[in-house]
Amino acid sequence: MTTYQFFTTAWTWNSIVLILSALAAVGYFLTFGQRGRPLYFGAALVVFLLVFISPFSALANGYLFSAHMLQHILLVLIVPALLLLSLPQSFSLRPPLTYLSYPLIGWVAGVGAMWLWHAPALCNAATTSRAVSAIQTTSLLLMGSVFWWQVLAPREAQRLSPPAGIVYLFTACTACSVLGMILTFAPVSICPVYQHPVDRLGMLSTIRGNWGLTSDRDQQIGGLLMWVPMCLIYVTAILAQLARWHSSPAPQTEKSNA
Amino acid sequence: MNGTTTIAEFRDAILDPAKRAHYRLAWISTVDHKRIAVLYMLTALFFFVVGGVEALFIRLQLAVPNNHFLHPDTFNQLFTMHGTTMIFLVVMPVVFGLANYVLPLQIGARDMAFPRLNAFGFWCVPFGGILLHFSVLAGGAPAVGWFSYAPLSETPYSSSPGADYWAVALFVLGIGSISFAINTIATVISLRGPGMTMRRLPLFTWINFVNAFIVIFALPVLNAGLAMLLIDRQLQGHFFLPFRGGSPVLWQHIFWAFGHPEVYIMALPAFAIVSEIIPVFSRKPIFGYEFVAASSVAIAVLSLGVWGHHMFTVGMGRPLDVFFAISSMLIAIPTGVKVLNWTATMLGGRIRFDVPMLFCIAFLIQFLVAGITGISHAVVPLDWQTKNSYFLIAHFHFVAVGAIVFAVLGGIQYWFPKMSGRMLSETLGKWTFWLMVAGFNMTFIIQHFLGLLGMPRRVFTYPDLPHWGWMNMLSTTGVFFMSAAALILVWNLATSFFRGKVAGDNPWNAWTLEWATTSPPPHENFIALPPIRSRRPLWDIANPDRPDPIVGENSAAVTLPDHNKVGILTFILSEAGFFGTLLLAYLYFYARPEAGPGPKELDVPRTLVFSICLFASSFTFWRSEVGLTKQRRGSMLGWLALTILLGGVFLVGQVNEYWKLFQTGVDLSTNMFSTTFFTLTGFHGLHVLLGLIALLIFLWVAWEGDFASGRGSAFKAAGYYWHFVDVVWVFVLLTVYILPLIR
């Protein structure tokens, strides 16, 4: 299959994903109606659909670790962030869930979502088993949302103060960069499934030959995606914190930097 | 000397030889931030002359083709010492010195948060400098470049002790820099005067505050690398020696993971100076304070993750090249934002072309060129062609001299009146400025072209190729102009100190707090602080009819965090960087196993038992703290003693493990596993030992009854450290002992 053929035909019209998305959209409008910010919700849905329908999904599905990493990043950082932004101001967590609003839990969820699913056994299982893959997706979205809650919760009072937010984001960025470095420089495969893909679409020769993506390079790109562009998402968020800090007329909250 | 010293007492002191000696000693034993700052800057000035003379010799050797004025090895020693001296003994001390003087004044503090630590940080500089230069007497200065690339820096290729002295000296200097950074952060967070909220910080203070964080994260990485290099050289370790299974490229990663942020550690203080001077001399507030402040943070964060662009010529592979090229280009955005802010500040201002401002304008122009050639190095193919040529030399001297040194010279002209009470001569200052600008550009602009013509760097001489001769001669001629500028500067400093025009409190009509006190300031800095409601308190006083807009709100009672807590947490951050580097190095080699002893030699159950002792000691320490807060002396002492006992048991267990390994013939020099294992666990053990010593001191002090008064915050700080050592062990245990069981 050539590159052109691949990008035109490898769209997977996954019915479960489509139905879930439709249900989520209906649910969103029934719950929040006019009060929400539907543009953000729409953006979240679009990214979510792209993750599962576009040809990248086919690549991530057993061919390329780097494509899998791209999905991973979008599901942990982008979709949950957009979802939180789409919530109305009135939204708040109800009692059994309030413990999710502790900063430490948010931090562990965000960093854990990265580290946990890159343990070789789990990474392999998520690629080979549909059930595990579904669990992975759900957990990534949930953990990502818990992570972003500290920064993007609907009301100012629910968020960390900007200096604390910067520390929160910077340390998370560092923790994920370290994993990115390990993936980049690891001489062994972190997710062995991608070393010898089952060539279901007849794409392997194109990927290895035309694209020049050997399995070593593929893993390096995966690690680098986690290391560099992902860190840039955190950096952007850090800058947003600074902007928020300087624009807030509210009294200063003095937070230590740790 | 405190404020109560009368004139008569002072005269007695000067006339009595014994008391005069005391005053001399007062400078050596001082813990006053202003005196320490002056010592920092004088040390930097001394080494500036040393490093300058080294540069002069380098350029004399290169003045004509096929020159044999210097021996090649001498040349290598000279350029190594020149680079190391200028970076670690000139630029860092001088920018730290300036910050040390000005920063506490700008925030209305009486001193730095930890005055003794401040003195310690300063004395690391002469100590490191002496260590570095002692190598000359001990068999030859290091000749391996300021980057000390392995395996050249390893014993088989550099057998003289020069490289050892280099590594130890940098280790000491690194510790000094980290202690200064800890002090800066604790001072800014905990010692701000009433009304001086974080959002009202002058940009000089804010940027130096941000810079301190880069120091905290970058220097420990270098220190970890230096420790590994020394272990290789002194204990036959394997880290960076290819024929022992080590990786020279790993040294480059470690070195540049420090080395790139280091560029910004030197550049951000220059930005800080410029951000202070340009508004004052344009008679306008800075354009876009928030952008300057935020872009500094962006630079700091980005600088930590772009070191790969120093290694394009190593052959890291295309994926790494591409990602590092992109991230390196991104740094141009926040730096470009800053340049725009400075220029826009000048736009429409009533600019006074005094010497500080002249240097800042030169800074802007030179830095723009430096930035553009810098971006060119992010373009991988271009970098391959120019990295090892004089083009790169020209680029980084534009950064280091054209930007950083110019800004620092401007800063010295600007703050000298505050430090001495007298103005530097404007006439002599202008001579320095024009000679410096002329000489600098004469020396370094041409080097861009030399590089593009293909002249390689780090060569002691070169053949007589077309144009190379006159270009090098021109470059060397420029050095004499710069030398003249430096001589005039020293002359200016000396004469103005004694005979300069009396400055008064605020000679430049500036707006930040350091100008609200006398020149030089009294020992305690301020008699009383003016009200602070904006970023320019002195403007508000001078122009009560049109004050600056109030920034943020005046909260009635701001309780600043305890400086002991902030200090120890920052220290822990730096330690985390150190151990993080060691852990990553361990993993790097763990993933590349080789024959010989490996993790299978380790007795995991035994180690788990001893680990439980260590973890339990965190709990017992907490109980001891509870005892302290509840004023139960017996409980506090008992739990503390138990903590020390448990820590001791852990150490005994570790010594026992080492002993068993030695018995089976496994020591640090056996193979890669043993090198990494002993390094990682050894450094952790060392930290446990230091923690134990600290706790023993606390036990002794508590036994004597000193904690009866409830001085808990130092005890809490020691507790943070102790818990941190335990947390490090969690990671070591997981990586070294548990990970092999899983795989």
Side-chain angles (χ1 to χ4, degrees):
Chain A
M1 197 188 277
T2 65
T3 308
Y4 177 76
Q5 283 173 329
F6 172 74
F7 277 105
T8 43
T9 58
W11 294 74
T12 30
W13 301 105
N14 185 329
S15 49
I16 298 176
V17 170
L18 288 172
I19 291 168
L20 278 177
S21 305
L23 283 178
V26 172
Y28 179 84
F29 282 105
L30 286 181
T31 322
F32 302 122
Q34 296 295 312
R35 290 172 301 134
R37 294 195 281 181
L39 269 184
Y40 283 108
F41 186 78
L45 263 192
V46 169
V47 178
F48 181 76
L49 284 173
L50 278 179
V51 164
F52 288 102
I53 287 172
S54 77
F56 276 102
S57 163
L59 287 177
N61 199 1
Y63 278 109
L64 285 178
F65 179 72
S66 46
H68 150 83
M69 182 61 82
L70 188 68
Q71 280 194 328
H72 200 107
I73 294 171
L74 292 174
L75 287 177
V76 174
L77 290 182
I78 304 295
V79 178
L82 291 169
L83 280 180
L84 287 187
L85 285 171
S86 77
L87 292 175
Q89 290 253 320
S90 56
F91 185 87
S92 53
L93 293 172
R94 297 221 175 74
L97 293 176
T98 41
Y99 68 89
L100 290 178
S101 64
Y102 286 105
L104 187 65
I105 288 180
W107 195 90
V108 170
V111 173
M114 296 296 169
W115 281 80
L116 183 72
W117 286 106
H118 287 105
L122 284 176
C123 185
N124 262 350
T127 327
T128 43
S129 144
R130 285 203 112 179
V132 179
S133 172
I135 295 172
Q136 186 191 32
T137 306
T138 321
S139 77
L140 290 182
L141 290 174
L142 284 177
M143 286 160 109
S145 307
V146 173
F147 174 78
W148 279 122
W149 181 264
Q150 300 300 328
V151 179
L152 296 174
R155 279 196 307 281
E156 182 74 26
Q158 297 162 321
R159 302 177 197 165
L160 286 172
S161 76
I166 292 169
V167 174
Y168 179 83
L169 289 163
F170 179 76
T171 47
C173 170
T174 314
C176 295
S177 292
V178 166
L179 179 61
M181 285 180 215
I182 291 175
L183 295 180
T184 308
F185 292 115
V188 292
S189 180
I190 295 292
C191 211
V193 176
Y194 292 106
Q195 244 177 343
H196 306 289
V198 185
D199 197 4
R200 282 168 289 107
L201 302 173
M203 265 304 285
L204 199 57
S205 62
T206 311
I207 291 173
R208 294 279 192 256
N210 296 11
W211 298 1
L213 291 176
T214 60
S215 67
D216 290 354
R217 257 190 193 177
D218 174 39
Q219 176 162 321
Q220 258 195 350
I221 296 175
L224 283 161
L225 278 171
M226 168 170 271
W227 181 359
V228 182
M230 205 176 99
C231 231
L232 292 177
I233 298 175
Y234 292 113
V235 173
T236 314
I238 286 174
L239 291 178
Q241 294 301 300
L242 283 166
R244 193 180 128 215
W245 194 25
H246 281 297
S247 63
S248 67
Q252 300 269 308
T253 39
E254 301 288 346
K255 282 258 182 179
S256 82
N257 63 316
Chain B
M1 282 196 291
N2 52 39
T4 58
T5 317
T6 64
I7 298 292
E9 277 176 75
F10 185 70
R11 199 182 53 223
D12 290 348
I14 294 294
L15 294 178
D16 180 356
K19 285 190 182 165
R20 202 164 60 223
H22 164 76
Y23 278 107
R24 272 204 295 274
L25 196 65
W27 273 87
I28 294 178
S29 63
T30 184
V31 292
D32 175 13
H33 77 99
K34 298 184 287 298
R35 286 188 171 186
I36 290 173
V38 171
L39 289 174
Y40 258 118
M41 286 184 274
L42 287 177
T43 315
L45 184 66
F46 171 75
F47 283 114
F48 181 59
V49 174
V50 174
V53 170
E54 284 160 358
L56 186 63
F57 276 102
I58 292 172
R59 277 319 314 172
L60 282 176
Q61 163 65 20
L62 292 172
V64 290
N66 300 313
N67 196 358
H68 287 275
F69 166 62
L70 292 175
H71 188 269
D73 193 50
T74 315
F75 184 83
N76 291 350
Q77 295 182 9
L78 277 173
F79 81 67
T80 304
M81 291 297 275
H82 168 70
T84 310
T85 303
M86 286 301 193
I87 288 167
F88 293 97
L89 297 170
V90 178
V91 173
M92 287 176 79
V94 80
V95 297
F96 288 175
L98 268 180
N100 215 325
Y101 201 102
V102 176
L103 188 143
L105 287 167
Q106 281 198 331
I107 60 173
R110 298 196 160 194
D111 205 320
M112 297 288 274
F114 307 103
R116 288 188 193 87
L117 182 70
N118 202 14
F120 168 79
F122 161 69
W123 287 104
C124 282
V125 178
F127 183 40
I130 291 168
L131 273 172
L132 183 66
H133 287 86
F134 191 75
S135 61
V136 180
L137 304 175
V144 289
W146 86 279
F147 36 78
S148 206
Y149 279 166
L152 177 62
S153 54
E154 294 277 4
T155 325
Y157 311 101
S158 298
S159 50
S160 86
D164 299 292
Y165 278 103
W166 178 87
V168 177
L170 259 58
F171 199 89
V172 170
L173 291 167
I175 291 172
S177 307
I178 293 166
S179 64
F180 173 71
I182 291 172
N183 222 338
T184 304
I185 294 170
T187 307
V188 172
I189 291 185
S190 303
L191 261 63
R192 279 168 286 127
M196 182 54 80
T197 60
M198 289 298 276
R199 279 171 58 189
R200 291 174 190 165
L201 289 180
L203 278 172
F204 179 83
T205 297
W206 171 260
I207 298 177
N208 274 295
F209 173 67
V210 174
N211 194 38
F213 282 95
I214 319 185
V215 174
I216 288 293
F217 290 112
L219 264 302
V221 177
L222 174 69
N223 275 10
L226 292 171
M228 292 182 215
L229 181 64
L230 279 169
I231 284 168
D232 272 10
R233 289 183 60 92
Q234 297 290 333
L235 304 170
Q236 283 76 51
H238 294 226
F239 283 111
F240 308 124
L241 265 177
F243 66 76
R244 290 190 200 145
S247 163
V249 177
L250 182 67
W251 166 262
Q252 292 205 20
H253 278 296
I254 292 175
F255 187 81
W256 289 117
F258 146 78
H260 191 75
E262 171 69 16
V263 176
Y264 289 94
I265 290 171
M266 298 190 289
L268 277 182
F271 299 167
I273 295 166
V274 173
S275 305
E276 207 63 44
I277 293 177
I278 287 185
V280 170
F281 287 83
S282 305
R283 308 313 298 159
K284 276 175 67 190
I286 185 98
F287 177 82
Y289 173 98
E290 290 82 1
F291 282 89
V292 181
S295 62
S296 309
V297 178
I299 290 173
V301 180
L302 286 173
S303 78
L304 294 168
V306 300
W307 73 79
H309 68 237
H310 292 264
M311 296 171 63
F312 289 149
T313 47
V314 176
M316 294 184 296
R318 202 175 297 166
L320 275 139
D321 286 357
V322 169
F323 279 86
F324 276 122
I326 294 169
S327 63
S328 304
M329 285 180 195
L330 283 177
I331 273 209
I333 298 173
T335 14
V337 165
K338 276 198 158 56
V339 173
L340 278 179
N341 283 117
W342 294 320
T343 329
T345 306
M346 288 161 62
L347 202 68
R350 281 182 290 115
I351 300 177
R352 294 194 317 222
F353 290 98
D354 293 321
V355 176
M357 187 61 174
L358 287 178
F359 272 115
C360 287
I361 295 171
F363 160 93
L364 272 180
I365 297 165
Q366 311 286 15
F367 181 62
L368 194 66
V369 178
I372 290 168
T373 54
I375 282 298
S376 80
H377 283 111
V379 181
V380 184
L382 189 70
D383 181 89
W384 286 341
Q385 297 298 320
T386 57
K387 171 61 75 44
N388 288 319
S389 78
Y390 261 80
F391 187 78
L392 190 96
I393 304 275
H395 157 68
F396 75 66
H397 280 93
F398 260 74
V399 178
V401 184
I404 296 165
V405 171
F406 280 18
V408 168
L409 290 178
I412 287 173
Q413 189 92 13
Y414 180 65
W415 278 298
F416 183 86
K418 182 50 62 184
M419 298 174 193
S420 67
R422 288 172 188 277
M423 310 291 285
L424 280 175
S425 154
E426 277 288 310
T427 321
L428 290 178
K430 281 186 177 147
W431 273 99
T432 306
F433 171 74
W434 286 112
L435 283 170
M436 198 74 194
V437 168
F440 166 75
N441 285 297
M442 205 188 279
T443 302
F444 291 108
I445 287 182
I446 200 71
Q447 289 186 2
H448 290 105
F449 300 101
L450 259 177
L452 294 177
L453 283 179
M455 178 160 164
R457 61 200 275 219
R458 302 169 191 155
V459 288
F460 86 104
T461 192
Y462 51 90
D464 192 5
L465 292 169
H467 303 299
W468 285 26
W470 70 264
M471 285 182 162
N472 272 295
M473 182 52 89
L474 182 69
S475 185
T476 302
T477 315
V479 176
F480 289 97
F481 286 79
M482 282 197 277
S483 307
L487 285 177
I488 295 174
L489 172 73
V490 174
W491 174 252
N492 192 1
L493 288 171
T495 53
S496 300
F497 180 75
F498 294 107
R499 289 202 302 265
K501 203 171 77 185
V502 174
D505 292 356
N506 189 1
W508 309 113
N509 272 323
W511 306 301
T512 39
L513 281 186
E514 75 267 34
W515 307 104
T517 183
T518 56
S519 308
H523 182 80
E524 67 278 15
N525 288 353
F526 295 98
I527 310 298
L529 282 176
I532 302 160
R533 303 174 313 127
S534 72
R535 288 173 185 138
R536 301 194 299 166
L538 300 199
W539 168 272
D540 296 346
I541 293 172
N543 303 280
D545 49 325
R546 46 189 183 124
D548 273 359
I550 295 176
V551 175
E553 263 178 37
N554 265 339
S555 31
V558 178
T559 45
L560 297 174
D562 171 45
H563 67 280
N564 280 331
K565 184 177 166 185
V566 177
I568 199 74
L569 288 177
T570 1
F571 175 61
I572 284 172
L573 273 184
S574 78
E575 289 280 68
F578 183 82
F579 277 108
T581 311
L582 291 184
L583 266 170
L584 283 175
Y586 178 89
L587 279 172
Y588 185 86
F589 292 115
Y590 170 78
R592 295 161 175 79
E594 51 178 34
K600 60 187 181 302
E601 316 287 327
L602 305 172
D603 187 350
V604 179
R606 226 180 104 271
T607 308
L608 277 177
V609 172
F610 284 108
S611 305
I612 288 168
C613 289
L614 189 67
F615 299 145
S617 76
S618 259
F619 171 76
T620 55
F621 188 92
W622 172 65
R623 291 306 308 167
S624 172
E625 240 177 67
V626 172
L628 181 67
T629 36
K630 292 191 176 163
Q631 295 288 318
R632 289 191 207 128
R633 186 163 176 271
S635 148
M636 183 241 176
L637 283 174
W639 285 111
L640 184 57
L642 189 58
T643 309
I644 294 170
L645 184 73
L646 285 168
V649 169
F650 172 78
L651 272 190
V652 170
Q654 213 185 14
V655 169
N656 183 261
E657 180 173 39
Y658 277 23
W659 182 249
K660 279 188 178 157
L661 286 170
F662 292 155
Q663 292 293 305
T664 52
V666 179
D667 64 21
L668 199 141
S669 64
T670 309
N671 70 351
M672 203 65 235
F673 166 75
S674 68
T675 300
T676 48
F677 169 79
F678 282 112
T679 305
L680 184 55
T681 55
F683 268 108
H684 178 263
L686 204 64
H687 279 72
V688 175
L689 189 67
L690 289 175
L692 279 181
I693 293 171
L695 293 188
L696 276 170
I697 294 172
F698 274 106
L699 186 67
W700 176 55
V701 173
W703 186 263
E704 298 285 316
D706 199 34
F707 278 114
S709 53
R711 264 198 254 157
S713 94
F715 191 63
K716 269 209 170 66
Y720 282 118
Y721 177 77
W722 188 254
H723 298 316
F724 166 72
V725 171
D726 290 2
V727 171
V728 169
W729 185 251
V730 174
F731 285 99
V732 175
L733 188 70
L734 287 175
T735 316
V736 178
Y737 295 89
I738 307 296
L739 185 64
L741 301 183
I742 298 172
R743 286 180 60 90

